[in-house]
Amino acid sequence: MKILKDTKKELEIEITGETHTLCNTLRKTLMEDEDVEAAAYVIDHPIIGEPKLYIKAKNPRKSLKKAAETVKSRCDEFKNLIEPFKDEK
């Protein structure tokens, strides 16, 4: 991850090696936060571009951390739900 812009109300980061999957999940989760005014991402080039995530919030770093923890928690919950079926064919 590389920080491109970091002000009191705005944060823009480049997330190296990631795709639409993580970025869209983070964007959607960020928008669930009442403190977030805007969250968006862009991938300038579909093959060689790295995603850039933009957040405008009361405290964008705090909101990003909260969103990442929420995504992790949801992934763990999903994993636990499908765990009993992993050996079925």
Side-chain angles (χ1 to χ4, degrees), residues 1 5 8 11 29 43 48 50 53 61 66 68 89:
M1 228 169 41
K5 180 179 186 178
K8 185 177 180 182
L11 179 65
T29 306
I43 300 176
I48 59 171
E50 297 292 350
L53 179 67
R61 283 178 173 245
K66 180 179 169 185
K89 292 183 181 184

Side-chain angles (χ1 to χ4, degrees), residues 5-6 11-12 16-17 22 25 30 32-33 39 43 49 54-57 64 71 76-77 80 85-86:
K5 180 179 186 178
D6 189 8
L11 179 65
E12 186 176 0
T16 307
L22 177 65
T25 303
L30 280 160
E32 294 170 6
D33 186 339
I43 300 176
Y54 171 81
I55 306 160
K56 184 174 183 180
L64 178 58
V71 169
D76 290 343
E77 182 181 345
N80 290 335
F85 304 104
K86 72 177 183 182

